[in-house]
Amino acid sequence: MRHFGIIGKPLVQSFSARYFNEKFQREGIDAEYSLYPLERIEDVAPLLDKLDGMNVTMPYKQEVIEHLDGLDETAKQVGAVNVIHKKIGYNTDCL
């Protein structure tokens, strides 16, 4: 099973877990999506190794950059990340 999630604080407003878990089930994808409310960005380190990918929401879109191995060109230009895959940050907010 693959593991995905979202980090941020707070996450009570996030519909991501319900949306993605329903999508995974509907499409027969062996995966789960969980909420990871972080009190501090330093707590992201174990998640970067544990999860196959994650979304990033406020207030960590800029702070998470220092914990990544790299950024795609858009994330570099914008200076913020909202998607992480294999410790590389991406920004899809501007697309």
Side-chain angles (χ1 to χ4, degrees):
M1 176 178 284
R2 297 177 72 194
H3 302 277
F4 300 92
I6 184 170
I7 63 167
K9 180 177 90 175
L11 291 177
V12 295
Q13 81 285 1
S14 179
F15 65 90
S16 297
R18 185 177 78 232
Y19 172 83
F20 282 109
N21 284 318
E22 287 175 2
K23 180 177 180 62
F24 293 155
Q25 183 177 18
R26 185 175 57 251
E27 296 185 15
I29 299 169
D30 187 23
E32 68 176 0
Y33 190 101
S34 301
L35 303 178
Y36 296 95
L38 300 182
E39 286 302 314
R40 33 187 229 120
I41 191 59
E42 292 78 16
D43 297 333
V44 75
L47 295 175
L48 290 169
D49 293 323
K50 173 184 174 183
L51 300 179
D52 294 292
M54 70 178 79
N55 297 110
V56 181
T57 192
M58 300 306 289
Y60 299 128
K61 291 184 176 196
Q62 295 172 326
E63 292 178 34
V64 75
I65 292 172
E66 67 185 69
H67 299 275
L68 303 177
D69 291 343
L71 300 175
D72 81 329
E73 196 56 41
T74 303
K76 283 180 193 173
Q77 290 176 5
V78 174
V81 167
N82 73 326
V83 176
I84 300 170
H85 181 248
K86 298 187 179 184
K87 296 185 182 181
I88 304 297
Y90 300 85
N91 190 304
T92 62
D93 286 337
C94 340
L95 298 178

PDB file of all heavy atoms in Angstrom, residues 58-88:
ATOM      1  N   MET A  58      -0.767  25.825   4.513  1.00  0.00           N
ATOM      2  CA  MET A  58      -0.291  26.842   5.448  1.00  0.00           C
ATOM      3  C   MET A  58      -0.117  26.250   6.844  1.00  0.00           C
ATOM      4  O   MET A  58      -0.879  25.378   7.211  1.00  0.00           O
ATOM      5  CB  MET A  58      -1.280  28.010   5.486  1.00  0.00           C
ATOM      6  CG  MET A  58      -1.455  28.674   4.121  1.00  0.00           C
ATOM      7  SD  MET A  58       0.055  29.220   3.348  1.00  0.00           S
ATOM      8  CE  MET A  58       0.516  30.594   4.363  1.00  0.00           C
ATOM      9  N   PRO A  59       0.855  26.659   7.568  1.00  0.00           N
ATOM     10  CA  PRO A  59       1.778  27.768   7.306  1.00  0.00           C
ATOM     11  C   PRO A  59       3.133  27.305   6.786  1.00  0.00           C
ATOM     12  O   PRO A  59       4.109  28.041   6.896  1.00  0.00           O
ATOM     13  CB  PRO A  59       1.931  28.384   8.694  1.00  0.00           C
ATOM     14  CG  PRO A  59       1.918  27.192   9.606  1.00  0.00           C
ATOM     15  CD  PRO A  59       0.927  26.244   8.968  1.00  0.00           C
ATOM     16  N   TYR A  60       3.223  26.103   6.215  1.00  0.00           N
ATOM     17  CA  TYR A  60       4.529  25.491   5.950  1.00  0.00           C
ATOM     18  C   TYR A  60       4.993  25.521   4.494  1.00  0.00           C
ATOM     19  O   TYR A  60       6.006  24.919   4.165  1.00  0.00           O
ATOM     20  CB  TYR A  60       4.529  24.047   6.449  1.00  0.00           C
ATOM     21  CG  TYR A  60       4.293  23.943   7.934  1.00  0.00           C
ATOM     22  CD1 TYR A  60       3.304  23.125   8.447  1.00  0.00           C
ATOM     23  CD2 TYR A  60       5.060  24.688   8.824  1.00  0.00           C
ATOM     24  CE1 TYR A  60       3.090  23.037   9.818  1.00  0.00           C
ATOM     25  CE2 TYR A  60       4.855  24.618  10.190  1.00  0.00           C
ATOM     26  CZ  TYR A  60       3.866  23.787  10.675  1.00  0.00           C
ATOM     27  OH  TYR A  60       3.656  23.709  12.031  1.00  0.00           O
ATOM     28  N   LYS A  61       4.307  26.203   3.614  1.00  0.00           N
ATOM     29  CA  LYS A  61       4.660  26.182   2.191  1.00  0.00           C
ATOM     30  C   LYS A  61       6.058  26.738   1.907  1.00  0.00           C
ATOM     31  O   LYS A  61       6.693  26.321   0.940  1.00  0.00           O
ATOM     32  CB  LYS A  61       3.617  26.928   1.367  1.00  0.00           C
ATOM     33  CG  LYS A  61       2.288  26.202   1.313  1.00  0.00           C
ATOM     34  CD  LYS A  61       1.322  26.912   0.409  1.00  0.00           C
ATOM     35  CE  LYS A  61       0.040  26.122   0.303  1.00  0.00           C
ATOM     36  NZ  LYS A  61      -0.777  26.550  -0.829  1.00  0.00           N
ATOM     37  N   GLN A  62       6.529  27.636   2.722  1.00  0.00           N
ATOM     38  CA  GLN A  62       7.879  28.174   2.550  1.00  0.00           C
ATOM     39  C   GLN A  62       8.863  27.498   3.496  1.00  0.00           C
ATOM     40  O   GLN A  62       9.982  27.178   3.101  1.00  0.00           O
ATOM     41  CB  GLN A  62       7.886  29.687   2.766  1.00  0.00           C
ATOM     42  CG  GLN A  62       7.087  30.415   1.711  1.00  0.00           C
ATOM     43  CD  GLN A  62       6.914  31.885   2.007  1.00  0.00           C
ATOM     44  OE1 GLN A  62       6.801  32.295   3.155  1.00  0.00           O
ATOM     45  NE2 GLN A  62       6.880  32.689   0.956  1.00  0.00           N
ATOM     46  N   GLU A  63       8.448  27.264   4.715  1.00  0.00           N
ATOM     47  CA  GLU A  63       9.346  26.677   5.724  1.00  0.00           C
ATOM     48  C   GLU A  63       9.812  25.273   5.356  1.00  0.00           C
ATOM     49  O   GLU A  63      10.903  24.860   5.743  1.00  0.00           O
ATOM     50  CB  GLU A  63       8.645  26.624   7.086  1.00  0.00           C
ATOM     51  CG  GLU A  63       8.388  27.971   7.697  1.00  0.00           C
ATOM     52  CD  GLU A  63       7.661  27.846   9.022  1.00  0.00           C
ATOM     53  OE1 GLU A  63       7.889  26.879   9.760  1.00  0.00           O
ATOM     54  OE2 GLU A  63       6.847  28.739   9.316  1.00  0.00           O
ATOM     55  N   VAL A  64       9.007  24.518   4.623  1.00  0.00           N
ATOM     56  CA  VAL A  64       9.361  23.135   4.314  1.00  0.00           C
ATOM     57  C   VAL A  64      10.546  23.042   3.350  1.00  0.00           C
ATOM     58  O   VAL A  64      11.249  22.033   3.314  1.00  0.00           O
ATOM     59  CB  VAL A  64       8.136  22.366   3.758  1.00  0.00           C
ATOM     60  CG1 VAL A  64       7.842  22.757   2.317  1.00  0.00           C
ATOM     61  CG2 VAL A  64       8.327  20.862   3.887  1.00  0.00           C
ATOM     62  N   ILE A  65      10.812  24.092   2.610  1.00  0.00           N
ATOM     63  CA  ILE A  65      11.855  24.072   1.585  1.00  0.00           C
ATOM     64  C   ILE A  65      13.206  23.640   2.140  1.00  0.00           C
ATOM     65  O   ILE A  65      13.915  22.848   1.520  1.00  0.00           O
ATOM     66  CB  ILE A  65      11.941  25.433   0.868  1.00  0.00           C
ATOM     67  CG1 ILE A  65      10.672  25.650   0.035  1.00  0.00           C
ATOM     68  CG2 ILE A  65      13.195  25.537   0.011  1.00  0.00           C
ATOM     69  CD1 ILE A  65      10.540  27.035  -0.572  1.00  0.00           C
ATOM     70  N   GLU A  66      13.573  24.120   3.316  1.00  0.00           N
ATOM     71  CA  GLU A  66      14.881  23.782   3.884  1.00  0.00           C
ATOM     72  C   GLU A  66      15.012  22.306   4.249  1.00  0.00           C
ATOM     73  O   GLU A  66      16.108  21.826   4.488  1.00  0.00           O
ATOM     74  CB  GLU A  66      15.173  24.653   5.103  1.00  0.00           C
ATOM     75  CG  GLU A  66      14.260  24.385   6.280  1.00  0.00           C
ATOM     76  CD  GLU A  66      14.491  25.355   7.422  1.00  0.00           C
ATOM     77  OE1 GLU A  66      14.161  26.546   7.262  1.00  0.00           O
ATOM     78  OE2 GLU A  66      15.002  24.918   8.466  1.00  0.00           O
ATOM     79  N   HIS A  67      13.924  21.555   4.238  1.00  0.00           N
ATOM     80  CA  HIS A  67      13.949  20.132   4.584  1.00  0.00           C
ATOM     81  C   HIS A  67      13.941  19.232   3.344  1.00  0.00           C
ATOM     82  O   HIS A  67      13.919  18.013   3.474  1.00  0.00           O
ATOM     83  CB  HIS A  67      12.754  19.793   5.478  1.00  0.00           C
ATOM     84  CG  HIS A  67      12.767  20.550   6.768  1.00  0.00           C
ATOM     85  ND1 HIS A  67      13.474  20.122   7.874  1.00  0.00           N
ATOM     86  CD2 HIS A  67      12.205  21.742   7.109  1.00  0.00           C
ATOM     87  CE1 HIS A  67      13.321  21.000   8.848  1.00  0.00           C
ATOM     88  NE2 HIS A  67      12.565  21.990   8.402  1.00  0.00           N
ATOM     89  N   LEU A  68      13.960  19.814   2.168  1.00  0.00           N
ATOM     90  CA  LEU A  68      13.870  19.057   0.918  1.00  0.00           C
ATOM     91  C   LEU A  68      15.228  18.936   0.240  1.00  0.00           C
ATOM     92  O   LEU A  68      16.134  19.710   0.492  1.00  0.00           O
ATOM     93  CB  LEU A  68      12.873  19.738  -0.024  1.00  0.00           C
ATOM     94  CG  LEU A  68      11.463  19.918   0.529  1.00  0.00           C
ATOM     95  CD1 LEU A  68      10.599  20.681  -0.471  1.00  0.00           C
ATOM     96  CD2 LEU A  68      10.844  18.577   0.877  1.00  0.00           C
ATOM     97  N   ASP A  69      15.326  17.968  -0.661  1.00  0.00           N
ATOM     98  CA  ASP A  69      16.555  17.773  -1.427  1.00  0.00           C
ATOM     99  C   ASP A  69      16.624  18.681  -2.652  1.00  0.00           C
ATOM    100  O   ASP A  69      17.691  18.868  -3.228  1.00  0.00           O
ATOM    101  CB  ASP A  69      16.671  16.312  -1.873  1.00  0.00           C
ATOM    102  CG  ASP A  69      16.928  15.371  -0.714  1.00  0.00           C
ATOM    103  OD1 ASP A  69      17.334  15.837   0.375  1.00  0.00           O
ATOM    104  OD2 ASP A  69      16.706  14.146  -0.882  1.00  0.00           O
ATOM    105  N   GLY A  70      15.474  19.217  -3.067  1.00  0.00           N
ATOM    106  CA  GLY A  70      15.469  20.072  -4.244  1.00  0.00           C
ATOM    107  C   GLY A  70      14.087  20.602  -4.543  1.00  0.00           C
ATOM    108  O   GLY A  70      13.110  20.223  -3.911  1.00  0.00           O
ATOM    109  N   LEU A  71      14.028  21.504  -5.540  1.00  0.00           N
ATOM    110  CA  LEU A  71      12.774  22.119  -5.962  1.00  0.00           C
ATOM    111  C   LEU A  71      12.691  22.084  -7.476  1.00  0.00           C
ATOM    112  O   LEU A  71      13.715  22.178  -8.163  1.00  0.00           O
ATOM    113  CB  LEU A  71      12.717  23.583  -5.531  1.00  0.00           C
ATOM    114  CG  LEU A  71      12.816  23.904  -4.052  1.00  0.00           C
ATOM    115  CD1 LEU A  71      12.865  25.417  -3.856  1.00  0.00           C
ATOM    116  CD2 LEU A  71      11.649  23.307  -3.291  1.00  0.00           C
ATOM    117  N   ASP A  72      11.469  21.980  -7.995  1.00  0.00           N
ATOM    118  CA  ASP A  72      11.317  22.133  -9.436  1.00  0.00           C
ATOM    119  C   ASP A  72      11.382  23.627  -9.755  1.00  0.00           C
ATOM    120  O   ASP A  72      11.413  24.479  -8.857  1.00  0.00           O
ATOM    121  CB  ASP A  72      10.022  21.488  -9.941  1.00  0.00           C
ATOM    122  CG  ASP A  72       8.794  22.355  -9.747  1.00  0.00           C
ATOM    123  OD1 ASP A  72       8.735  23.137  -8.776  1.00  0.00           O
ATOM    124  OD2 ASP A  72       7.873  22.249 -10.577  1.00  0.00           O
ATOM    125  N   GLU A  73      11.450  23.975 -11.014  1.00  0.00           N
ATOM    126  CA  GLU A  73      11.666  25.357 -11.428  1.00  0.00           C
ATOM    127  C   GLU A  73      10.558  26.284 -10.942  1.00  0.00           C
ATOM    128  O   GLU A  73      10.821  27.411 -10.501  1.00  0.00           O
ATOM    129  CB  GLU A  73      11.804  25.439 -12.955  1.00  0.00           C
ATOM    130  CG  GLU A  73      12.394  26.734 -13.432  1.00  0.00           C
ATOM    131  CD  GLU A  73      13.756  27.040 -12.812  1.00  0.00           C
ATOM    132  OE1 GLU A  73      14.600  26.132 -12.663  1.00  0.00           O
ATOM    133  OE2 GLU A  73      13.975  28.223 -12.447  1.00  0.00           O
ATOM    134  N   THR A  74       9.318  25.839 -11.002  1.00  0.00           N
ATOM    135  CA  THR A  74       8.210  26.691 -10.561  1.00  0.00           C
ATOM    136  C   THR A  74       8.300  26.982  -9.073  1.00  0.00           C
ATOM    137  O   THR A  74       8.138  28.125  -8.638  1.00  0.00           O
ATOM    138  CB  THR A  74       6.852  26.041 -10.893  1.00  0.00           C
ATOM    139  OG1 THR A  74       6.796  25.785 -12.295  1.00  0.00           O
ATOM    140  CG2 THR A  74       5.693  26.934 -10.506  1.00  0.00           C
ATOM    141  N   ALA A  75       8.561  25.963  -8.272  1.00  0.00           N
ATOM    142  CA  ALA A  75       8.691  26.164  -6.820  1.00  0.00           C
ATOM    143  C   ALA A  75       9.852  27.112  -6.512  1.00  0.00           C
ATOM    144  O   ALA A  75       9.745  27.947  -5.614  1.00  0.00           O
ATOM    145  CB  ALA A  75       8.884  24.825  -6.112  1.00  0.00           C
ATOM    146  N   LYS A  76      10.930  27.007  -7.269  1.00  0.00           N
ATOM    147  CA  LYS A  76      12.054  27.933  -7.082  1.00  0.00           C
ATOM    148  C   LYS A  76      11.624  29.372  -7.355  1.00  0.00           C
ATOM    149  O   LYS A  76      11.941  30.285  -6.598  1.00  0.00           O
ATOM    150  CB  LYS A  76      13.212  27.578  -8.024  1.00  0.00           C
ATOM    151  CG  LYS A  76      14.028  26.401  -7.598  1.00  0.00           C
ATOM    152  CD  LYS A  76      15.133  26.149  -8.622  1.00  0.00           C
ATOM    153  CE  LYS A  76      15.780  24.800  -8.388  1.00  0.00           C
ATOM    154  NZ  LYS A  76      16.744  24.463  -9.468  1.00  0.00           N
ATOM    155  N   GLN A  77      10.924  29.574  -8.458  1.00  0.00           N
ATOM    156  CA  GLN A  77      10.507  30.922  -8.845  1.00  0.00           C
ATOM    157  C   GLN A  77       9.506  31.512  -7.861  1.00  0.00           C
ATOM    158  O   GLN A  77       9.586  32.695  -7.529  1.00  0.00           O
ATOM    159  CB  GLN A  77       9.905  30.912 -10.247  1.00  0.00           C
ATOM    160  CG  GLN A  77      10.921  30.658 -11.331  1.00  0.00           C
ATOM    161  CD  GLN A  77      10.279  30.567 -12.713  1.00  0.00           C
ATOM    162  OE1 GLN A  77       9.087  30.775 -12.878  1.00  0.00           O
ATOM    163  NE2 GLN A  77      11.086  30.256 -13.707  1.00  0.00           N
ATOM    164  N   VAL A  78       8.585  30.695  -7.380  1.00  0.00           N
ATOM    165  CA  VAL A  78       7.534  31.165  -6.476  1.00  0.00           C
ATOM    166  C   VAL A  78       8.042  31.267  -5.040  1.00  0.00           C
ATOM    167  O   VAL A  78       7.574  32.107  -4.263  1.00  0.00           O
ATOM    168  CB  VAL A  78       6.311  30.226  -6.562  1.00  0.00           C
ATOM    169  CG1 VAL A  78       5.251  30.567  -5.539  1.00  0.00           C
ATOM    170  CG2 VAL A  78       5.721  30.242  -7.958  1.00  0.00           C
ATOM    171  N   GLY A  79       8.986  30.388  -4.684  1.00  0.00           N
ATOM    172  CA  GLY A  79       9.502  30.376  -3.320  1.00  0.00           C
ATOM    173  C   GLY A  79       8.583  29.683  -2.338  1.00  0.00           C
ATOM    174  O   GLY A  79       8.611  29.974  -1.146  1.00  0.00           O
ATOM    175  N   ALA A  80       7.763  28.762  -2.862  1.00  0.00           N
ATOM    176  CA  ALA A  80       6.824  28.029  -2.012  1.00  0.00           C
ATOM    177  C   ALA A  80       6.528  26.669  -2.633  1.00  0.00           C
ATOM    178  O   ALA A  80       6.619  26.494  -3.846  1.00  0.00           O
ATOM    179  CB  ALA A  80       5.533  28.812  -1.843  1.00  0.00           C
ATOM    180  N   VAL A  81       6.176  25.720  -1.775  1.00  0.00           N
ATOM    181  CA  VAL A  81       5.925  24.339  -2.179  1.00  0.00           C
ATOM    182  C   VAL A  81       4.536  23.927  -1.700  1.00  0.00           C
ATOM    183  O   VAL A  81       4.152  24.230  -0.579  1.00  0.00           O
ATOM    184  CB  VAL A  81       6.986  23.406  -1.535  1.00  0.00           C
ATOM    185  CG1 VAL A  81       6.597  21.953  -1.643  1.00  0.00           C
ATOM    186  CG2 VAL A  81       8.346  23.657  -2.155  1.00  0.00           C
ATOM    187  N   ASN A  82       3.779  23.247  -2.566  1.00  0.00           N
ATOM    188  CA  ASN A  82       2.509  22.681  -2.106  1.00  0.00           C
ATOM    189  C   ASN A  82       2.392  21.184  -2.381  1.00  0.00           C
ATOM    190  O   ASN A  82       1.431  20.550  -1.963  1.00  0.00           O
ATOM    191  CB  ASN A  82       1.313  23.436  -2.691  1.00  0.00           C
ATOM    192  CG  ASN A  82       1.092  23.167  -4.161  1.00  0.00           C
ATOM    193  OD1 ASN A  82       2.041  22.977  -4.915  1.00  0.00           O
ATOM    194  ND2 ASN A  82      -0.151  23.164  -4.576  1.00  0.00           N
ATOM    195  N   VAL A  83       3.387  20.608  -3.049  1.00  0.00           N
ATOM    196  CA  VAL A  83       3.423  19.168  -3.315  1.00  0.00           C
ATOM    197  C   VAL A  83       4.861  18.682  -3.140  1.00  0.00           C
ATOM    198  O   VAL A  83       5.796  19.346  -3.597  1.00  0.00           O
ATOM    199  CB  VAL A  83       2.947  18.834  -4.758  1.00  0.00           C
ATOM    200  CG1 VAL A  83       3.090  17.359  -5.060  1.00  0.00           C
ATOM    201  CG2 VAL A  83       1.514  19.295  -4.984  1.00  0.00           C
ATOM    202  N   ILE A  84       5.017  17.529  -2.487  1.00  0.00           N
ATOM    203  CA  ILE A  84       6.344  16.921  -2.327  1.00  0.00           C
ATOM    204  C   ILE A  84       6.283  15.486  -2.808  1.00  0.00           C
ATOM    205  O   ILE A  84       5.365  14.744  -2.464  1.00  0.00           O
ATOM    206  CB  ILE A  84       6.797  16.947  -0.849  1.00  0.00           C
ATOM    207  CG1 ILE A  84       6.879  18.387  -0.338  1.00  0.00           C
ATOM    208  CG2 ILE A  84       8.144  16.235  -0.685  1.00  0.00           C
ATOM    209  CD1 ILE A  84       7.087  18.487   1.166  1.00  0.00           C
ATOM    210  N   HIS A  85       7.259  15.120  -3.631  1.00  0.00           N
ATOM    211  CA  HIS A  85       7.404  13.732  -4.088  1.00  0.00           C
ATOM    212  C   HIS A  85       8.886  13.389  -4.061  1.00  0.00           C
ATOM    213  O   HIS A  85       9.695  14.083  -4.688  1.00  0.00           O
ATOM    214  CB  HIS A  85       6.838  13.576  -5.493  1.00  0.00           C
ATOM    215  CG  HIS A  85       6.930  12.194  -6.017  1.00  0.00           C
ATOM    216  ND1 HIS A  85       7.757  11.849  -7.053  1.00  0.00           N
ATOM    217  CD2 HIS A  85       6.302  11.048  -5.638  1.00  0.00           C
ATOM    218  CE1 HIS A  85       7.631  10.557  -7.296  1.00  0.00           C
ATOM    219  NE2 HIS A  85       6.759  10.056  -6.447  1.00  0.00           N
ATOM    220  N   LYS A  86       9.214  12.347  -3.326  1.00  0.00           N
ATOM    221  CA  LYS A  86      10.604  11.903  -3.199  1.00  0.00           C
ATOM    222  C   LYS A  86      11.540  13.039  -2.788  1.00  0.00           C
ATOM    223  O   LYS A  86      12.593  13.233  -3.381  1.00  0.00           O
ATOM    224  CB  LYS A  86      11.067  11.232  -4.483  1.00  0.00           C
ATOM    225  CG  LYS A  86      10.277   9.983  -4.809  1.00  0.00           C
ATOM    226  CD  LYS A  86      10.837   9.233  -5.977  1.00  0.00           C
ATOM    227  CE  LYS A  86       9.995   7.982  -6.205  1.00  0.00           C
ATOM    228  NZ  LYS A  86      10.515   7.143  -7.254  1.00  0.00           N
ATOM    229  N   LYS A  87      11.121  13.809  -1.799  1.00  0.00           N
ATOM    230  CA  LYS A  87      11.896  14.905  -1.211  1.00  0.00           C
ATOM    231  C   LYS A  87      12.196  16.051  -2.176  1.00  0.00           C
ATOM    232  O   LYS A  87      13.099  16.842  -1.964  1.00  0.00           O
ATOM    233  CB  LYS A  87      13.184  14.390  -0.574  1.00  0.00           C
ATOM    234  CG  LYS A  87      12.947  13.455   0.595  1.00  0.00           C
ATOM    235  CD  LYS A  87      14.238  13.076   1.266  1.00  0.00           C
ATOM    236  CE  LYS A  87      13.992  12.098   2.403  1.00  0.00           C
ATOM    237  NZ  LYS A  87      15.234  11.729   3.074  1.00  0.00           N
ATOM    238  N   ILE A  88      11.419  16.126  -3.272  1.00  0.00           N
ATOM    239  CA  ILE A  88      11.509  17.238  -4.211  1.00  0.00           C
ATOM    240  C   ILE A  88      10.216  18.042  -4.093  1.00  0.00           C
ATOM    241  O   ILE A  88       9.119  17.476  -4.102  1.00  0.00           O
ATOM    242  CB  ILE A  88      11.692  16.762  -5.670  1.00  0.00           C
ATOM    243  CG1 ILE A  88      12.931  15.856  -5.789  1.00  0.00           C
ATOM    244  CG2 ILE A  88      11.768  17.944  -6.631  1.00  0.00           C
ATOM    245  CD1 ILE A  88      14.251  16.523  -5.460  1.00  0.00           C
TER     246      ILE A  88
END
